[in-house]
Amino acid sequence: MGRMNRPLLIKKGAEASLYLADWHGRKVVMKCRLPKKYRPSSLDEHIRTYRTIHEPQLMHEAKRAGVPTPTIFLVDVKNTIIVMEFIEGKQVKRLLAEVSASRRQLLCLKIGELIGKLHRCGIIHGDLTTSNMILSPDGKVFFVDFGLGEKTRELEARGVDLHLMKRALQSAHFRFAGECFDAVSKGYFRVLGCEVGKSVLDKVREIEKRGRYVSERREE
Amino acid sequence: MKDKKASDSYCLGIESTADDFSVGVSTFKGRILANIRSQYVPVEGGIHPREAARHHAEVASNVLEEAFSKSKIKPKNVSVVSFSQGPGLGPCLRTGATVARALASYLNVPLVGVNHCIAHVEIGKLKTGAKDPVTLYVSGGNTIVSAFDSGRYRVFGETLDIALGNCLDVFAREAGLHQTEGKPFGAVVEDLAAKGKNLIPLPYSVKGMDISLSGLLTALTNLLKRREYKLEDLCYSLQETAFSMVTEVTERALAHTEKKEVLLTGGVAANKRLQLMIKAIAEEHDARFCAIPSEFVVDNGAMVAWTGVLAYTHGVVTPIDKSFVKLRWRLEEVEIPWVE
């Protein structure tokens, strides 16, 4: 690995710890997937290695699809570490509550378009939450954390992806979850067209009803 | 209606969402005086809702009587009657609700309908002193990761298809195992898993904060038919894989909410291996693992009684004409005035 100066722990997530570090004069994030003691080591190694290999691949493809993602500098499969560009900016999670209704609308529209671009290229993010999106000072929305992503064009996977976005809005931003998701859908439709967009939204509804104890399921 | 001081007030709670009929008595200060349970054990197959309801109707008066004698209170001392209003199996819920309505009318006391999932969380908090936990609730009917935020318990993650306990039960039945009273399928699988050593690769499906278990169950039933693996190894692999999935999403909720307590409840919470896994992630995030006595992790009347106290003392009552059961009642639909 390259030369690092005193890495600073910025986020201890469930899946990985994120360190802010200096790497050859660049500000980088080191994403370290540390062993999980709770699961058997063979399963643990498999999960960590798989995600360390797949995440940078998906991030690269996302960039090609027109979705800003941090640039990958180094992938250390053996130690399950990814070194990537540090994105200056603000988490969308924090922004949504601060900005005006019209800016919120625009931001969600943009997010919907980006999700549409991912899906159009057969990329499923796998963990669409507002904490995995960063608005940079030049107005770009960066998507991060593709660890649970996959490559597929299946309707089911697209539906689950959007369903997760909706759920994230409901649990973290329940006051304006409805308007936000409407704007996300609008942006999504813009990219994928009405026909595909509608079929994915229908799928989202179907997935919701599949969930346990959803009262609408009875009306069918 | 009676108006009593909190010091000598009692709530009687009735639980009947699935295979258990249970009556609990709690004082308004949270002392559990009785928690009597009678379980319906099917001769074969899973829970047949009508058969379970028939069992509940048969045992109701005995369980009630036992709850009164154990708690040493008289029916006239009861200030509130609470019952599990949902979610659960229709016939079972209706049987419990009927008993609750009859009792409340006869005693002329208020009735309080309680959400079963919330009752699990509240009794866990009462019994462990937890104030604001992330809760993993895993049972035959539920697999939910929840935490309190802005007036309600929010669902952070859940199963997209079948519940964890259901997955264990169906596998056990497919494998030809048998459960007995006091030793449910989960415990039978746990014992066999303890003798397993080889981890067989199985579908591991975490989607964001949610999980999916149906693919895992299908893969396991196919492996059973091929008879290539020892049942012990299959049980071991099932537990390790499925438990790792729920543990991962619980850890995600813990990291996301940055709460400092973890509560593990529901029937599957009795599993020692799962307890170890959840304990490990709690330690990892400097959170306290709150172990609940086993009598209060399974479906029980005490949790309904205690949640009835919380609701009633914060102004919640359920008029009889609004006391219809709610088969699908998500815990995030309920406003929680008793939590800050």
Side-chain angles (χ1 to χ4, degrees), chain A residues 6-189:
Chain A
R6 294 169 283 113
L8 175 78
L9 181 68
I10 46 174
K11 172 75 188 166
K12 188 177 164 107
E15 220 230 325
S17 291
L18 299 182
Y19 295 90
L20 184 62
D22 177 272
W23 191 72
H24 301 297
R26 281 176 196 271
K27 220 170 165 184
V28 296
V29 170
M30 281 169 65
K31 181 166 186 172
C32 307
R33 290 189 158 86
L34 303 169
K36 295 286 171 194
K37 282 176 290 176
Y38 65 79
R39 57 194 176 203
S41 57
S42 63
L43 177 63
D44 182 56
E45 252 166 57
H46 171 76
I47 291 171
R48 286 188 296 125
T49 310
Y50 180 88
R51 290 178 184 169
T52 304
I53 295 170
H54 282 254
E55 181 169 20
Q57 283 176 348
L58 286 177
M59 284 167 76
H60 178 68
E61 290 194 33
K63 207 187 286 281
R64 274 212 309 226
V67 176
T69 56
T71 303
I72 305 288
F73 294 130
L74 190 133
V75 181
D76 180 348
V77 176
K78 191 167 169 287
N79 295 303
T80 56
I81 296 173
I82 303 170
V83 180
M84 66 184 106
E85 177 189 6
F86 174 78
I87 305 296
E88 302 276 357
K90 260 193 153 173
Q91 251 187 356
V92 171
K93 184 186 173 188
R94 293 181 206 286
L95 268 174
L96 279 188
E98 293 170 6
V99 299
S100 66
S102 60
R103 273 206 64 197
R104 195 156 57 224
Q105 192 84 11
L106 280 175
L107 192 58
C108 290
L109 196 72
K110 178 91 201 150
I111 289 168
E113 286 178 359
L114 293 172
I115 299 172
K117 285 180 180 173
L118 286 180
H119 287 190
R120 192 174 57 189
C121 295
I123 302 165
I124 299 301
H125 181 277
D127 191 16
L128 289 170
T129 69
T130 47
S131 36
N132 285 338
M133 298 166 189
I134 301 163
L135 180 70
S136 70
D138 57 354
K140 283 194 212 161
V141 179
F142 279 77
F143 278 25
V144 298
D145 204 353
F146 284 72
L148 296 175
E150 57 177 325
K151 288 239 22 184
T152 172
R153 288 174 188 275
E154 272 175 33
L155 185 59
E156 170 76 21
R158 289 175 172 182
V160 171
D161 222 19
L162 264 195
H163 164 72
L164 291 176
M165 180 79 246
K166 191 174 182 181
R167 276 274 309 277
L169 288 168
Q170 284 164 347
S171 60
H173 314 278
F174 51 95
R175 270 188 220 94
F176 28 79
E179 48 166 292
C180 284
F181 190 71
D182 285 347
V184 167
S185 308
K186 209 168 137 191
Y188 189 78
F189 272 59

Side-chain angles (χ1 to χ4, degrees), chain A residues 38 51 127 212-213 217, chain B residues 141 248 252 273 328 330:
Chain A
Y38 65 79
R51 290 178 184 169
D127 191 16
R212 301 189 79 81
Y213 312 129
R217 195 158 75 174
Chain B
E248 179 170 354
R252 290 171 77 84
R273 179 67 184 120
R328 306 177 194 284
R330 287 179 70 84

Side-chain angles (χ1 to χ4, degrees), chain B residues 112-190:
Chain B
V112 178
V114 161
N115 181 293
H116 175 86
C117 306
I118 287 168
H120 269 292
V121 176
E122 290 301 346
I123 196 76
K125 284 163 66 184
L126 176 74
K127 286 290 161 189
T128 62
K131 293 276 173 280
D132 185 20
V134 166
T135 303
L136 172 62
Y137 166 32
V138 273
S139 66
N142 293 280
T143 300
I144 297 175
V145 181
S146 72
F148 190 83
D149 186 20
S150 314
R152 292 180 190 210
Y153 288 105
R154 311 277 166 188
V155 175
F156 279 84
E158 63 185 320
T159 176
L160 290 168
D161 39 55
I162 55 172
L164 180 55
N166 190 213
C167 182
L168 292 167
D169 288 355
V170 173
F171 171 77
R173 283 203 301 272
E174 290 287 329
L177 299 170
H178 293 283
Q179 67 175 344
T180 46
E181 186 154 11
K183 189 162 186 185
F185 279 133
V188 178
V189 171
E190 183 177 3

